[in-house]
């Protein structure tokens, strides 16, 4: 019985080590406004960019700068989650009626693309590729993967870009494909309002896909925290602690 108990303990320790390894690997894909951009072909001095952590839960970082008269450069940095990423420019904070730039790189790393989409309605058929009213500078729209992060960059011709921005992440392991390049409904979405003159930003609440269509925020209510989250422990670590307690009384 003691041999089984020792084997059990070592199994739990191994699980916890794997969990910590996952955390370390995840940290390698983090970005912040204090980080140096790892892009080699960056045409603009990175120190000139304003930077905003627009979606802390998903570690979405937006950098932007006015490069020349009526031309603005944007770089959206996100974790590579095997899903498309999107940034929308809205007049009223809602998805419907806005224009978005959507980019993706397939899980094998061999295929990637970025396109403008018109968010014309609430069904996938109303989200139309290669349409929208954003004036994208020719040749500026691109996406690349560096160290498990996606960097989607583009330039817009505008006296002042729209201040109400939306951000979304698509369903895992789905990528738009030719000839239609249709999108599936995204998993998560959030909003920001950016003052381009001062560099300040107001971070909006996270919303469900349906709420984002209508502009309604999610209810602030949330389910009761689990035992592990209430005590700040990962599930495997909590399991390990409870196992040690049980063995003490064995």
């Amino acid at each position: 019985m003691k041999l089984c108990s020792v084997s059990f303990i070592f199994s739990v320790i191994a699980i916890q080590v794997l969990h910590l390894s996952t955390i370390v690997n995840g940290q390698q894909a983090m970005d912040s406004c204090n980080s140096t951009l790892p892009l080699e072909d960056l045409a603009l001095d990175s120190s000139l960019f304003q930077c905003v952590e627009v979606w802390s839960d998903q570690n979405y970082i937006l950098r932007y700068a006015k490069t020349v008269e009526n031309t603005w450069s944007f770089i959206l940095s996100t974790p590579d989650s095997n899903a498309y990423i999107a940034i929308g420019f809205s007049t009223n904070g809602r998805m419907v009626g806005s224009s978005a730039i959507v980019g993706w790189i397939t899980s094998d790393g061999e295929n990637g693309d970025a396109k403008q989409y018109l968010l014309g309605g609430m069904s996938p058929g109303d989200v139309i590729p290669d349409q929208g009213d954003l004036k994208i500078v020719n040749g500026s729209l691109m996406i690349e993967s560096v160290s498990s992060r996606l960097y989607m960059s583009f330039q817009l011709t505008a006296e002042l870009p729209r201040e109400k921005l939306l951000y979304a992440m698509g369903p895992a392991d789905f990528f738009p494909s030719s000839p239609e390049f249709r999108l599936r409904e995204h998993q998560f979405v959030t909003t920001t309002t950016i003052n381009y003159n001062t560099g300040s930003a107001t971070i909006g609440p996270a919303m469900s896909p349906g709420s984002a269509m209508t502009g309604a925020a999610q209810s602030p209510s949330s389910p009761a925290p689990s035992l592990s989250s209430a005590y700040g422990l990962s599930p495997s670590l909590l399991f390990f602690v409870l196992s040690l307690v049980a063995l003490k009384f064995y």
Side-chain angles (χ1 to χ4, degrees):
M1 178 65 74
K2 290 184 177 179
L3 180 60
C4 293
S5 298
V6 172
S7 299
F8 172 75
I9 291 174
F10 275 106
S11 297
V12 174
I13 292 174
I15 292 173
Q16 187 61 27
V17 168
L18 289 174
H19 173 73
L20 292 175
S21 176
T22 300
I23 293 176
V24 171
N25 290 335
Q27 289 176 340
Q28 292 176 350
M30 296 292 287
D31 188 13
S32 75
C33 287
N34 295 322
S35 302
T36 301
L37 277 171
L39 306 180
E40 296 181 356
D41 55 350
L42 192 62
L44 187 66
D45 184 352
S46 60
S47 65
L48 299 178
F49 282 95
Q50 297 279 0
C51 183
V52 182
E53 186 177 11
V54 293
W55 196 357
S56 58
D57 289 347
Q58 301 296 334
N59 193 219
Y60 274 41
I61 306 295
L62 181 67
R63 296 173 173 89
Y64 64 91
K66 187 175 183 180
T67 51
V68 294
E69 190 68 22
N70 295 335
T71 300
W72 294 78
S73 294
F74 292 84
I75 302 175
L76 178 64
S77 161
T78 78
D80 188 347
S81 303
N82 285 331
Y84 69 75
I85 61 173
I87 176 172
F89 292 77
S90 173
T91 58
N92 54 14
R94 300 179 182 181
M95 291 187 66
V96 174
S98 64
S99 296
I101 295 177
V102 182
W104 61 90
I105 293 180
T106 55
S107 54
D108 58 14
E110 295 183 357
N111 297 296
D113 204 352
K115 289 178 172 291
Q116 181 175 188
Y117 283 77
L118 173 64
L119 309 182
M122 299 184 66
S123 66
D126 296 327
V127 181
I128 306 171
D130 298 317
Q131 293 193 31
D133 58 9
L134 298 176
K135 297 180 180 179
I136 303 174
V137 175
N138 289 337
S140 69
L141 178 55
M142 62 184 67
I143 187 169
E144 56 186 304
S145 178
V146 180
S147 300
S148 300
R149 288 194 68 85
L150 297 178
Y151 293 86
M152 185 166 68
S153 57
F154 55 93
Q155 291 182 317
L156 297 181
T157 300
E159 182 177 350
L160 193 68
R162 292 171 184 168
E163 296 183 338
K164 297 184 183 299
L165 306 183
L166 306 103
Y167 312 87
M169 180 174 69
D173 301 318
F174 166 78
F175 305 99
S177 58
S178 61
E180 295 184 339
F181 291 100
R182 294 297 185 188
L183 299 179
R184 291 182 185 171
E185 188 175 51
H186 48 266
Q187 297 183 81
F188 310 104
V189 62
T190 193
T191 64
T192 60
T193 300
I194 292 185
N195 186 322
Y196 294 103
N197 293 320
T198 64
S200 62
T202 302
I203 312 299
M207 297 183 289
S208 65
S211 298
M213 292 292 184
T214 60
Q218 281 186 321
S219 170
S221 61
S222 58
S226 64
L227 182 61
S228 60
S229 62
Y231 287 92
L233 301 175
S234 68
S236 55
L237 181 57
L238 179 64
F239 184 54
F240 177 55
V241 172
L242 293 177
S243 299
L244 291 179
V245 174
L247 287 173
K248 182 178 180 180
F249 293 97
Y250 173 75

